[in-house]
Amino acid sequence: MAANFLRLDDVRVAYASEGSPMPAVDGLSLRVDAREILAIVGPSGCGKTTLLKAIAGLVPLSSGALRWGTSSPRPATVFQAPRLLSWASVIDNVAFGLEAQGLPRREARERSRGLLGRVGLAEWGERYPRELSGGMQQRVNLARALGVGPDLILLDEPFAALDAQTRESMQFYLSRVADQEDVTAVLVTHQVDEAVYLADRVIVLSPRPARIVVEVAVPFERPRPLRLKRDPAFRAIEDQIWETLQEQAPDAEVA
Amino acid sequence: MSLLERTVPAELEDQVDSPEPVATRPAGRRAPILGKVPVVSVLSVLLGLALWEVIARLELVDPLVLPRLSETVRRLGNDLFREHLLRDLVATAVPFLVGTLLSVLLGSAIGAAMGASRWLDRVLGPWVLGLNAVPRIAFVSVFIVAFGLGMTSKVAVVTATAILPMVLTMRSGVRSLDREIMEMAASFRAPRGLILRRIVLPATTTYFVAGFRITVALALIGEVVAEFFSSSSGIGFRLQAASQTYDINEVYAMVLVLAVAGICSAQMVAFLERRVARWQGTTQS
């Protein structure tokens, strides 16, 4: 069942414009299984985001290859900032993703109305992004990405800018969505507890250029209740990853 | 089948954060065509005109320098009566409008392309700066030789005079596009047409209007200058003919017409700006 959804073979990404000899990602290989949630954690600036953008096709690979298990992968990206169109209504923002798939505007808006209802924003369709709280904007961002029916969701620190309470409700929401559909997800995050709560596997990356330091399997059944975060077994995994992470950033102050 | 077409878990409902509802968009009331004209502006004009009449009547300056306003207005009425004023207005308005349209279309396309492509910006940049430094009068004779004395050469002068503000503002507008938003669009593999309609056009509207305002003003000047050289009708032609025969009343009559035309076109642009500002105000943070 755990078929390969995506394999990264010896992937290297160097930005031409940076003029720095050190590539962001250098010779990284990893696999993403079908229907799993894979979390990637690592010190700041280690190339996590670059890796995600490479998978999304937003930055070109310098060498290496992405080997997809499906003939026509449909990835969608949820960015850290909501990246909403400030001049468009909430519903038009969600519709943008569908319109990009070639859906006519009317149909795209029709579908978006339903999508907004599912993220609890049915009443907010005709409002503008600035009228929404950060958490609500992020749910619009999520609805826009999920609306296009992706088979791979790429999440780049999607909840980092939210307050703790909103973040937990979003984590819970995301875990439910992932369980309900045939979806694979790659999650880049700073928050170790978020990684362990959501993911089936957690990969810890080294400082730049990123390579895999350790891979930790998270054995808990999904869906997971939020109170799992208080479980000693959960805490043990969290501690293990946290300590590995600290070793990767010796200069960082260990609080 | 999309992921979200399933019910939201009930547990989430009370975890959902809700900010205070914000006032909704005001019901779609249109901006008035004429903005409120400030009383002092009206008074200032009336006072200036009155001063003109008084100074001329008291012959404080030579009547050849400043004829009476009443005389000028009488001449204007006479022109109107003899119907050539209307013909002149049309003769001026048509190349002015065509040249303005051309400036807006060509200028915003070139400017947007320069804003989008660093390479194109480098290729066209020196030409734009060069053209900017040359008084457009320099091209009038060239255009007359190339296009003859008709409409085409006048439209060419108007376009050469008025195109640059559109180029420069749209270049800035496209450069100011949010890279994160463009990356978001790329992540959805949005086609170019959709990016243009949903992102580039709405995001650059304020730049467009700013360029348009200057372009309209310059286009009128360009048209009048073109008529100085190559016309047998039009406000600029009358102005030029009257200057050469020292028909001072006619000169002032045409100056009045141009001043009114300038104020009117600026009012129209201001109306457009208010519409945009309204729209931006309700939609931008």
Side-chain angles (χ1 to χ4, degrees):
Chain A
M1 176 59 219
N4 260 1
F5 183 85
L6 168 66
R7 246 178 44 228
L8 275 65
D9 280 348
D10 207 17
V11 163
R12 178 188 158 94
V13 182
Y15 289 108
S17 58
E18 274 186 11
S20 136
M22 189 182 280
V25 179
D26 195 9
L28 191 82
S29 298
L30 61 83
R31 63 165 218 287
V32 183
D33 296 332
R35 304 207 56 180
E36 81 166 334
I37 299 180
L38 174 68
I40 300 174
V41 297
S44 298
C46 77
K48 307 184 290 283
T49 296
T50 302
L51 185 63
L52 212 60
K53 285 184 180 174
I55 297 174
L58 295 173
V59 297
L61 304 186
S62 307
S63 65
L66 304 175
R67 304 202 192 284
W68 296 91
T70 64
S71 52
S72 57
R74 299 183 314 275
T77 308
V78 178
F79 298 97
Q80 175 178 356
R83 302 199 185 184
L84 302 178
L85 309 176
S86 59
W87 51 83
S89 63
V90 165
I91 196 153
D92 283 336
N93 267 285
V94 177
F96 181 83
L98 289 161
E99 282 187 281
Q101 314 297 109
L103 218 63
R105 181 176 159 84
R106 179 188 290 269
E107 261 180 73
R109 279 176 58 95
E110 206 58 51
R111 290 265 295 272
S112 303
R113 210 172 297 283
L115 290 162
L116 276 176
R118 303 301 188 277
V119 292
L121 293 175
E123 309 293 307
W124 296 82
E126 300 307 323
R127 302 298 186 85
Y128 287 83
R130 72 191 156 88
E131 300 177 71
L132 271 58
S133 71
M136 295 166 89
Q137 289 184 11
Q138 200 57 354
R139 272 186 278 151
V140 177
N141 183 11
L142 200 59
R144 180 177 60 191
L146 298 177
V148 302
D151 53 5
L152 175 65
I153 306 178
L154 303 166
L155 301 120
D156 184 10
E157 301 185 33
F159 313 132
L162 306 179
D163 63 82
Q165 200 187 338
T166 311
R167 185 160 58 227
E168 291 217 316
S169 75
M170 290 294 289
Q171 289 169 357
F172 180 75
Y173 178 68
L174 183 66
S175 75
R176 298 298 291 242
V177 165
D179 287 329
Q180 284 165 352
E181 274 292 342
D182 187 21
V183 72
T184 307
V186 177
L187 166 74
V188 161
T189 182
H190 272 304
Q191 311 255 219
V192 177
D193 79 308
E194 180 170 288
V196 177
Y197 172 69
L198 286 171
D200 301 297
R201 275 192 303 143
V202 180
I203 282 174
V204 180
L205 294 182
S206 69
R208 203 169 177 174
R211 93 202 128 64
I212 297 175
V213 179
V214 72
E215 182 188 314
V216 180
V218 183
F220 309 111
E221 271 304 301
R222 283 165 41 199
R224 300 165 182 165
L226 273 172
R227 66 173 173 281
L228 180 68
K229 290 188 179 185
R230 308 278 163 269
D231 191 289
F234 183 99
R235 290 254 166 98
I237 295 173
E238 197 182 333
D239 285 348
Q240 179 198 347
I241 293 169
W242 188 82
E243 268 157 31
T244 316
L245 209 48
Q246 291 305 319
E247 288 159 17
Q248 293 310 309
D251 301 338
E253 229 166 272
V254 181
Chain B
M1 180 64 196
S2 124
L3 282 171
L4 289 178
E5 285 164 21
R6 295 280 174 90
T7 12
V8 95
E11 304 94 292
L12 188 67
E13 293 293 46
D14 42 22
Q15 295 180 33
V16 162
D17 54 326
S18 268
E20 290 296 303
V22 188
T24 31
R25 181 180 197 146
R29 274 176 52 205
R30 298 258 165 128
I33 302 236
L34 266 181
K36 262 196 166 173
V37 180
V39 179
V40 281
S41 300
V42 177
L43 284 180
S44 156
V45 170
L46 289 180
L47 192 71
L49 292 177
L51 213 60
W52 172 358
E53 180 70 18
V54 169
I55 289 172
R57 260 182 199 280
L58 298 176
E59 294 194 2
L60 293 177
V61 283
D62 190 328
L64 268 180
V65 175
L66 189 73
R68 293 176 189 174
L69 173 63
S70 47
E71 285 291 317
T72 302
V73 170
R74 190 170 302 127
R75 171 58 77 84
L76 203 56
N78 210 12
D79 286 347
L80 200 61
F81 184 66
R82 284 187 294 150
E83 285 184 354
H84 72 67
L85 180 63
L86 215 60
R87 226 176 36 243
D88 286 332
L89 275 174
V90 172
T92 298
V94 172
F96 161 72
L97 290 174
V98 174
T100 303
L101 191 69
L102 214 59
S103 298
V104 168
L105 293 180
L106 272 179
S108 45
I110 294 170
M114 285 174 75
S117 154
R118 194 156 282 265
W119 179 81
L120 201 64
D121 193 47
R122 286 177 180 160
V123 170
L124 294 182
W127 295 92
V128 168
L129 292 177
L131 178 62
N132 201 16
V134 179
R136 268 22 83 75
I137 294 187
F139 300 121
V140 174
S141 54
V142 180
F143 286 146
I144 289 172
V145 172
F147 303 121
L149 283 169
M151 246 292 266
T152 317
S153 64
K154 279 188 274 186
V155 169
V157 176
V158 171
T159 308
T161 312
I163 196 170
L164 281 185
M166 280 322 295
V167 172
L168 294 175
T169 49
M170 283 310 279
R171 174 179 172 274
S172 308
V174 169
R175 284 196 149 197
S176 76
L177 288 173
D178 189 334
R179 291 178 62 162
E180 295 204 329
I181 292 286
M182 299 307 277
E183 191 179 58
M184 180 281 292
S187 81
F188 285 104
R189 295 174 170 78
R192 274 167 181 265
L194 187 72
I195 293 177
L196 189 69
R197 272 179 293 137
R198 295 275 180 272
I199 298 174
V200 178
L201 291 183
T204 56
T205 309
T206 43
Y207 290 87
F208 178 88
V209 174
F212 186 61
R213 171 187 271 280
I214 309 169
T215 286
V216 167
L218 287 183
L220 187 59
I221 294 173
E223 170 59 21
V224 171
V225 166
E227 285 175 16
F228 280 5
F229 290 83
S230 68
S231 206
S232 52
S233 60
I235 305 298
F237 164 74
R238 292 283 161 217
L239 186 56
Q240 166 78 351
S243 316
Q244 272 167 4
T245 56
Y246 291 94
D247 184 353
I248 296 304
N249 264 321
E250 180 77 3
V251 169
Y252 274 95
M254 292 304 109
V255 166
L256 276 183
V257 169
L258 284 176
V260 170
I263 292 172
C264 285
S265 59
Q267 281 293 322
M268 263 142 64
V269 174
F271 165 67
L272 184 73
E273 274 182 329
R274 278 194 302 278
R275 292 290 309 258
V276 170
R278 226 156 221 266
W279 178 69
Q280 298 278 341
T282 51
T283 59
Q284 278 201 330
S285 37

